[in-house]
């Protein structure tokens, strides 16, 4: 059983990890180099730490640590856009599947921890909804390559994705705030 006090640092790192992953701002200099303002690699590395810390309470969360570290290394390719052309499509598909699984399992375990630490708050349910939203939006974003010919669809998916990402990060922020020792 986890207490709100024990969940607080986990929720804090989860919030910042997902903030870095979901809000990716960059300047691209041709096809040679991209300057990342919020690098995804740092976000995945932070989530690896969350997975390790949460494994004490949810062993299945500990299994995500290696996925998160692998995704942190994979996302170093963000700095070099020209590498995308060199990577086989099968590798990109595998990485997309790992990302989907990691989001799904991470939020499932985090929701279970929230149910234990804050049983009457409804925070676990909100995180399960956030889990579904992030997985659906991630699937839609992976399909945008197929729909690039139709710009309105791409714009609609981008707008829906931004709203969904804000909602997901908001749920993580609320979990962080609800577990603060000063509020308990």
């Amino acid at each position: 059983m986890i207490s709100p006090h024990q969940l607080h640092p986990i929720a804090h790192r989860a919030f910042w990890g997902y903030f870095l992953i979901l809000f990716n701002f960059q300047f691209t200099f041709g096809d040679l180099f991209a300057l990342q303002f919020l690098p995804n690699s740092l976000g995945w590395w932070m989530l690896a730490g969350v997975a390790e810390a949460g494994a004490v309470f949810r062993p299945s969360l500990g299994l995500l640590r290696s996925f998160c570290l692998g995704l942190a290394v994979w996302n170093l390719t963000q700095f070099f856009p020209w590498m995308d052309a060199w990577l086989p499509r099968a590798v990109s598909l595998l990485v997309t599947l790992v990302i989907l699984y990691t989001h799904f399992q991470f939020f499932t375990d985090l929701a279970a921890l929230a149910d234990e630490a804050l049983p009457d708050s409804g925070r676990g349910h909100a995180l399960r909804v956030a889990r579904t939203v992030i997985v659906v939006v991630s699937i839609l974003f992976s399909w945008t390559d197929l729909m690039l010919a139709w710009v309105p669809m791409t714009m609609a998916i981008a707008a829906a994705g931004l709203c969904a990402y804000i909602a997901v990060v908001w749920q993580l922020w609320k979990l962080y705030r609800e577990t603060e020792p000063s509020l308990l």
Side-chain angles (χ1 to χ4, degrees):
M1 187 79 166
I2 188 170
S3 70
H5 179 69
Q6 293 167 316
L7 182 57
H8 182 70
I10 293 171
H12 182 247
R13 287 186 70 158
F15 167 76
W16 283 111
Y18 265 100
F19 185 85
L20 291 171
I21 290 169
L22 298 180
F23 297 107
N24 182 16
F25 300 104
Q26 67 184 14
F27 282 122
T28 304
F29 302 100
D31 285 338
L32 297 176
F33 183 74
L35 178 62
Q36 304 290 322
F37 289 107
L38 301 173
N40 287 356
S41 293
L42 183 57
W44 285 114
W45 179 76
M46 289 181 80
L47 290 184
V50 171
E52 185 175 6
V56 173
F57 307 104
R58 298 277 303 179
S60 60
L61 194 56
L63 299 173
L64 295 177
R65 183 176 184 274
S66 58
F67 284 139
C68 292
L69 289 174
L71 290 169
V73 171
W74 169 262
N75 277 286
L76 290 174
T77 62
Q78 289 180 309
F79 292 99
F80 307 102
W82 57 268
M83 290 180 75
D84 283 341
W86 291 65
L87 297 170
R89 283 283 208 206
V91 173
S92 294
L93 177 61
L94 178 63
V95 169
T96 299
L97 292 174
V98 169
I99 289 170
L100 290 173
Y101 171 74
T102 303
H103 286 320
F104 184 86
Q105 191 61 48
F106 187 86
F107 274 92
T108 299
D109 287 335
L110 196 59
L113 291 174
D115 284 339
E116 288 178 20
L118 307 164
D120 297 327
S121 70
R123 186 64 36 225
H125 174 71
L127 289 170
R128 281 186 286 280
V129 170
R131 168 199 66 195
T132 303
V133 166
I134 196 168
V135 168
V136 168
V137 168
S138 296
I139 290 170
L140 289 175
F141 279 156
S142 67
W143 286 350
T144 56
D145 289 344
L146 301 173
M147 294 181 255
L148 281 180
W150 198 39
V151 176
M153 179 62 82
T154 304
M155 296 303 290
I157 291 172
L162 178 62
C163 293
Y165 285 174
I166 290 170
V168 166
V169 170
W170 178 250
Q171 290 304 320
L172 290 169
W173 174 256
K174 288 173 70 173
L175 176 66
Y176 165 65
R177 294 293 293 167
E178 288 178 14
T179 59
E180 272 191 305
S182 63
L183 298 177
L184 300 173

